[in-house]
């Protein structure tokens, strides 16, 4: 009987490990790509009807909290009878803001501060009604006769408090470059939405300094951005020769766009009649400054800024016509988000091999 040789080589089981790790690597990359696809699909879905959110009720209705059914916007009578003020939480030039309660839900009640500002208040209400979407705070009711607006309450407040919110232990895990970049994507999505709204091209005029801009936006509990204040939102219509001016006083500082500053020098006193009008590209000029705040100073944020350098430089062109559109800025932000999330997924998985 022939003896079997003792030196027959057997495949080492250890060689099967890299194959298993490769499978895990591919599964990880596919999973991350799937998450990224779902996120970007959700963002890109805003190019439909004014950024319509399928979960929203029909225009004129709202759904609040865990309630499944849609309710009609509350009327003057319903607001008067059913809404209870709790405390004043803020006051701007146009509105006083009260934390309030409606059927055990916290809500926000806004009321006119001064009769001289009725036109601004009613314009803001008109915009709020017409622009209801995933980008805009949810309207719950209003009373024109009493100059009252009721909106959804967001406990994290405005974007001005973002850094303070992210320093709270509960939210520290969200203080990452990718979460902050997603907030910047939300912000630019809102600018794009306003520039291509169902009403036409709208300019965010209440934006003369960074703190003022940030106060116009809310941070939701699931860490998205909504625009909240639409009192100063004039319409640009280039084909009809309609441009805008953000107020009737002189604007100064590097935050506002060059075309918003007095062009005739200090030797000529400011005269609103001599001040040229401008278009929506003033919003584009401000995007880099707002995004710089949103990105903060966390690990990885400088890499994000490096990838956004060229588009931000284009936003800061002196000539408004040379600046990109909000859509072009948004497309760039999305590409950078996609690229950096994929790059972030690879180093750790490569180490597994």
């Amino acid at each position: 009987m022939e003896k079997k040789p003792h030196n027959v080589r057997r495949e080492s089981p250890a060689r099967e490990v890299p194959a298993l790790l490769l499978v895990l690597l591919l599964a990880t990359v596919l999973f991350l790509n799937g998450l990224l696809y779902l996120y970007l699909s959700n963002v890109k879905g805003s190019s439909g009807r004014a950024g319509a959110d399928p979960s929203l009720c029909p225009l004129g209705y709202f759904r609040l909290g865990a309630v499944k059914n849609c309710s009609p916007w509350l009327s003057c009578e319903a607001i008067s009878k059913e809404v209870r003020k709790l405390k004043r939480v803020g006051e701007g030039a146009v509105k006083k803001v009260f934390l309030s309660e409606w059927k055990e839900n916290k809500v926000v009640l806004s009321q006119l501060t001064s009769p001289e500002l009725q036109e601004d208040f009613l314009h803001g209400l008109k915009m709020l009604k017409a622009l209801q979407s995933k980008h805009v705070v949810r309207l719950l009711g209003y009373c024109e006769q009493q100059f009252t607006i009721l909106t959804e309450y967001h406990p994290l407040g405005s974007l001005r408090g973002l850094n303070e919110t992210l320093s709270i232990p509960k939210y520290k895990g969200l203080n990452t470059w990718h979460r902050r970049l997603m907030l910047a994507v939300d912000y630019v999505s809102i600018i794009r939405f306003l520039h291509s709204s169902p009403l036409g091209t709208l300019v965010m005029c209440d934006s003369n300094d960074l703190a003022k801009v940030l106060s116009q936006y809310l941070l939701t509990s699931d860490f998205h951005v909504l625009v909240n204040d639409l009192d100063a939102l004039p319409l640009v219509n280039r084909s009809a020769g309609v441009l805008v001016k953000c107020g009737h006083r002189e604007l100064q500082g590097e935050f506002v766009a060059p075309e918003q500053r007095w062009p005739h020098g200090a030797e000529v006193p400011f005269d609103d009649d001599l001040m040229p009008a401008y278009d929506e590209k003033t919003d584009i000029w401000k995007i880099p400054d707002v995004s710089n705040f949103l990105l903060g100073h966390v690990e990885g944020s400088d890499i994000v800024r490096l990838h956004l350098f060229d588009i931000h430089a284009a936003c800061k062109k002196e000539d408004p016509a040379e600046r990109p559109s909000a859509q072009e800025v948004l497309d760039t932000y999305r590409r950078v988000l996609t690229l950096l999330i994929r790059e972030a997924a690879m180093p750790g998985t490569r180490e597994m091999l």
Side-chain angles (χ1 to χ4, degrees):
M1 186 175 178
E2 188 178 352
K3 292 184 179 181
K4 291 182 181 179
H6 293 286
N7 61 346
V8 173
R9 295 182 63 188
R10 296 182 180 179
E11 290 294 327
S12 171
R15 288 185 173 272
E16 297 176 7
V17 176
L20 177 60
L21 290 178
L22 181 60
V23 171
L24 290 174
L25 166 62
L26 292 173
T28 301
V29 171
L30 288 172
F31 176 71
L32 288 169
N33 283 345
L35 289 178
L36 188 61
Y37 173 80
L38 289 174
Y39 171 75
L40 294 178
S41 296
N42 181 56
V43 173
K44 290 179 181 178
S46 66
S47 59
R49 174 231 157 233
D53 184 345
S55 68
L56 291 175
C57 296
L59 190 62
Y61 291 78
F62 71 92
R63 180 167 48 232
L64 196 60
V67 178
K68 293 184 178 180
N69 297 327
C70 295
S71 302
W73 285 340
L74 300 186
S75 63
C76 294
E77 182 181 6
I79 291 174
S80 177
K81 289 183 177 180
E82 301 173 15
V83 177
R84 181 170 64 95
K85 288 182 185 177
L86 299 178
K87 63 177 180 178
R88 183 185 295 196
V89 291
E91 181 171 346
V94 179
K95 297 188 293 286
K96 293 177 288 187
V97 182
F98 298 88
L99 176 62
S100 304
E101 190 176 57
W102 175 73
K103 294 186 176 180
E104 299 183 353
N105 293 291
K106 287 198 170 81
V107 293
V108 174
L109 187 73
S110 301
Q111 294 182 316
L112 179 67
T113 56
S114 172
E116 292 80 21
L117 298 171
Q118 289 181 12
E119 186 177 345
D120 291 333
F121 184 92
L122 293 176
H123 176 75
L125 174 57
K126 176 185 174 183
M127 294 294 104
L128 195 54
K129 290 192 291 183
L131 299 176
Q132 283 296 287
S133 71
K134 63 184 289 184
H135 300 297
V136 179
V137 69
R138 189 168 301 172
L139 178 64
L140 309 180
Y142 63 91
C143 180
E144 289 192 31
Q145 297 93 317
Q146 298 175 6
F147 297 99
T148 299
I149 299 173
L150 195 70
T151 54
E152 189 172 17
Y153 172 62
H154 292 279
L156 296 183
S158 80
L159 280 181
R160 289 182 66 174
L162 174 64
N163 291 328
E164 289 76 12
T165 296
L166 288 172
S167 68
I168 298 172
K170 178 181 177 181
Y171 298 112
K172 278 188 176 180
L174 298 174
N175 194 18
T176 60
W177 68 262
H178 51 88
R179 179 63 68 170
R180 283 175 169 271
L181 179 54
M182 289 165 84
L183 293 178
V185 169
D186 280 353
Y187 164 70
V188 177
S189 297
I190 292 171
I191 298 299
R192 192 284 310 270
F193 165 62
L194 294 176
H195 288 185
S196 57
S197 84
L199 302 178
T201 301
L202 300 168
V203 182
M204 194 69 177
C205 260
D206 236 349
S207 56
N208 298 332
D209 58 66
L210 179 61
K212 185 63 174 174
V213 171
L214 296 172
S215 70
Q216 311 300 304
Y217 297 88
L218 294 171
L219 180 63
T220 67
S221 295
D222 60 351
F223 269 71
H224 285 284
V225 180
L226 297 174
V227 63
N228 181 51
D229 195 331
L230 304 175
D231 295 341
L233 211 60
L235 181 69
V236 166
N237 188 340
R238 282 199 199 86
S239 60
V242 177
L243 298 176
V244 304
K245 286 190 280 188
C246 292
H248 303 287
R249 61 183 179 84
E250 184 176 2
L251 300 179
Q252 297 176 324
E254 292 299 313
F255 186 81
V256 297
E259 63 272 23
Q260 293 184 280
R261 302 172 208 151
W262 179 242
H264 302 298
E267 63 278 4
V268 180
F270 178 80
D271 185 342
D272 187 47
D273 293 333
L274 299 178
M275 179 67 200
Y278 35 82
D279 63 17
E280 78 280 3
K281 290 298 185 73
T282 58
D283 289 334
I284 304 300
W285 172 273
K286 298 160 188 172
I287 286 175
D289 299 286
V290 178
S291 288
N292 186 54
F293 170 83
L294 295 176
L295 290 173
H297 299 284
V298 296
E299 183 180 356
S301 62
D302 287 341
I303 299 297
V304 178
R305 288 184 178 89
L306 183 62
H307 280 80
L308 295 176
F309 180 85
D310 288 342
I311 193 67
H312 283 173
C315 290
K316 290 294 188 179
K317 294 278 189 182
E318 288 286 319
D319 182 355
E322 295 182 5
R323 295 175 205 152
S325 67
Q327 183 65 62
E328 290 170 321
V329 179
L330 181 58
D331 289 343
T332 301
Y333 272 50
R334 288 172 175 166
R335 283 196 298 270
V336 170
L337 177 62
T338 302
L339 173 67
L340 292 180
I341 286 181
R342 284 175 176 165
E343 285 187 352
M346 296 305 292
T349 50
R350 275 201 296 266
E351 288 171 9
M352 292 168 61
L353 298 175

